Amino acid sequence: MNNALLQFGTQDGGRSVALTFDDGPDPRWTPKVLALLAQHHAKATFCEIGPNAQRYPYLTKSIVAAGDRLCDHSVHHNERQSRMPLDYNIHEIADAQREISDAAGPSAKLWYYRAPGGDFKPAIRNIAAQHGLRPIGWSDDSDDWKRRGVPGILQNINRNLHPGSIILMHDGGGDRSQTVAALAKLLDQLDAQGYTYSFPAR
Ligand SMILES: [Zn+2]
């Protein structure tokens, strides 16, 4: 297996999905997301921006304590990373990895790297793999950050929902009240449809 290939599937396969939350942690939204996940015995992956983790280490620690997984989402969230020099890309990945690891504590593991805006190129995937991080994409984009209402967010997710989906949502980067409200409905729906919760495959 090539660990530098972009991962779009779930670890457990079958009728599982992988929920992913980007751009946090954020003290307003991350605890709400974690509470909903816990109510449903659901697991998720959190793609954190390094300085946010540094600022709110207790949130990063509660993600780990809940059995959820951490993902590196860079330092500066530059969505044009692929146009930048290699040295810049290395720093974005490695510095955020250090910041998130410091926040999470010594026993916590960082599993993945997701490029801001999904702006991957082979060199960036290779850097991630060299740092022990599997590069991950998504298959179901909720577009929740556009804040066009809960029904729209659910519609976006359901358009592509299938066993093995990696669902992209956000627990940081702005007002995520719609995301939290949509997540409550999504979890009810997924439970009713017999989906289980997994992580992106490594
Ligand atoms: Zn992002």
Side-chain angles (χ1 to χ4, degrees):
M1 187 170 73
N2 183 344
N3 287 326
L5 280 179
L6 201 52
Q7 183 54 255
F8 290 102
T10 57
Q11 173 183 285
D12 299 313
R15 203 168 165 75
S16 68
V17 295
L19 301 169
T20 64
F21 296 91
D22 286 15
D23 298 359
D26 185 305
R28 290 162 296 176
W29 315 113
T30 308
K32 292 190 165 75
V33 169
L34 287 172
L36 283 169
L37 294 173
Q39 273 172 33
H40 289 262
H41 305 288
K43 298 284 179 254
T45 300
F46 290 80
C47 297
E48 296 193 330
I49 296 172
N52 292 353
Q54 245 182 347
R55 193 163 170 202
Y56 308 112
Y58 66 96
L59 292 174
T60 302
K61 286 188 177 72
S62 25
I63 287 167
V64 175
D68 298 315
R69 286 190 182 174
L70 292 170
C71 164
D72 179 334
H73 197 42
S74 86
V75 177
H76 294 103
H77 205 272
N78 180 350
E79 298 192 359
R80 306 250 168 133
Q81 228 180 56
S82 67
R83 298 184 188 184
M84 303 296 284
L86 200 62
D87 196 47
Y88 176 92
N89 294 317
I90 292 170
H91 274 288
E92 281 296 302
I93 293 172
D95 293 355
Q97 183 177 30
R98 195 161 42 244
E99 288 165 351
I100 298 165
S101 293
D102 284 352
S107 56
K109 179 176 165 72
L110 241 78
W111 295 74
Y112 314 99
Y113 176 72
R114 177 180 273 159
D119 183 26
F120 275 106
K121 66 179 176 183
I124 292 177
R125 297 200 311 265
N126 285 330
I127 296 164
Q130 282 157 13
H131 286 79
L133 305 168
R134 181 71 194 248
I136 57 168
W138 60 81
S139 56
D140 292 30
D141 190 351
S142 70
D143 266 339
D144 59 338
W145 58 274
K146 291 180 180 164
R147 291 185 279 179
R148 292 189 183 145
V150 172
I153 292 171
L154 291 169
Q155 208 171 46
N156 289 338
I157 293 169
N158 280 316
R159 190 173 299 136
N160 295 309
L161 182 68
H162 60 276
S165 279
I166 298 182
I167 300 171
L168 171 61
M169 302 178 88
H170 295 81
D171 67 325
D175 183 337
R176 297 293 171 242
S177 51
Q178 289 185 8
T179 300
V180 171
L183 178 64
K185 287 189 189 301
L186 178 68
L187 290 166
D188 284 341
Q189 179 204 310
L190 292 173
D191 285 351
Q193 292 175 333
Y195 278 101
T196 58
Y197 304 95
S198 182
F199 301 103
R202 278 267 292 180

